[in-house]
Amino acid sequence: MSATVDVTTWYLEQTSAADLVPARVPEDSAGIGVERAEVPSPEFSRFLYTAVGADNTWVDRLPWTYEKWQRFLERPGIETWVAYERGTPAGFIELDAASEAGVVEISYFGLLPAFRGHGIGGHLLSYGTARAWDLASRWEGLPPTERVWLHTCSLDGAYARANYERRGFRVCRTETKPEPQVAPPGPWPGA
């Protein structure tokens, strides 16, 4: 029998664009930018997923095939926004409006370890959340956004939930359940 660990998951939401409390722009913002990855690229998305989630035990997408990544990324209403510092990917936020009309899930958000603690996370979350609220303007046939939500858990970064709450997200549900204990996979085997 494999070991388990109790994991608490918090579901947070905004129900109005007015709920968003933007973060301050990082002090040395001259080299920081956020751009949408407009070309669906399984390689790039998997890189972001593994590089950001490696020390937070993100494992659910590791078994995805190239084709599954491609199908997911090509769905209308899926957007990946990437933060860069002086040309280097620093983190990403993934928006998913393809699952429920009028609802946008921030399905993934985070920074590569070297870029944490410099104010980029709050800036990226603010920028990405604003893009979630205006997502319908970029996708024909999508209804206007009425709710933006995300979830975080006790395995995520120590400051994740606080960052979400500072940006105006409110906890709407909490659950705790045992999950199989897995070692963080790292960005490459053996890392």
Side-chain angles (χ1 to χ4, degrees):
M1 185 170 178
S2 64
T4 62
V5 60
D6 284 340
V7 176
T8 300
T9 302
W10 298 276
Y11 297 84
L12 298 98
E13 69 179 357
Q14 292 182 359
T15 54
S16 165
D19 291 342
L20 175 59
V21 179
R24 64 172 176 74
V25 176
E27 291 177 19
D28 184 19
S29 64
I32 297 173
V34 180
E35 292 184 39
R36 181 174 162 210
E38 294 188 45
V39 177
S41 171
E43 300 91 344
F44 187 51
S45 289
R46 190 174 198 284
F47 158 74
L48 292 169
Y49 174 83
T50 58
V52 170
D55 59 348
N56 293 314
T57 321
W58 292 3
V59 296
D60 58 315
R61 290 188 181 178
L62 292 179
W64 281 20
T65 63
Y66 181 93
E67 292 75 20
K68 186 168 183 170
W69 275 102
Q70 189 74 35
R71 282 191 309 274
F72 174 79
L73 295 169
E74 289 178 341
R75 292 170 43 208
I78 301 294
E79 292 186 354
T80 302
W81 291 84
V82 183
Y84 292 89
E85 183 172 356
R86 293 178 285 147
T88 304
F92 78 109
I93 186 166
E94 182 182 87
L95 308 177
D96 181 351
S99 301
E100 187 179 346
V103 176
V104 178
E105 177 187 3
I106 296 176
S107 47
Y108 283 95
F109 164 78
L111 300 175
L112 282 79
F115 298 93
R116 296 174 188 158
H118 304 283
I120 298 171
H123 177 63
L124 176 59
L125 181 59
S126 296
Y127 193 93
T129 303
R131 298 297 63 80
W133 282 110
D134 68 14
L135 195 85
S137 68
R138 293 184 300 282
W139 292 92
E140 186 176 325
L142 276 185
T145 303
E146 298 174 3
R147 177 178 180 248
V148 176
W149 75 279
L150 55 85
H151 70 276
T152 189
C153 74
S154 52
L155 298 176
D156 283 340
Y159 305 105
R161 181 175 162 199
N163 187 20
Y164 300 136
E165 290 176 336
R166 281 193 305 274
R167 302 292 72 80
F169 284 91
R170 296 171 309 280
V171 174
C172 59
R173 187 177 71 166
T174 303
E175 65 182 27
T176 301
K177 64 182 181 180
E179 292 191 13
Q181 190 169 10
V182 296
W188 51 81

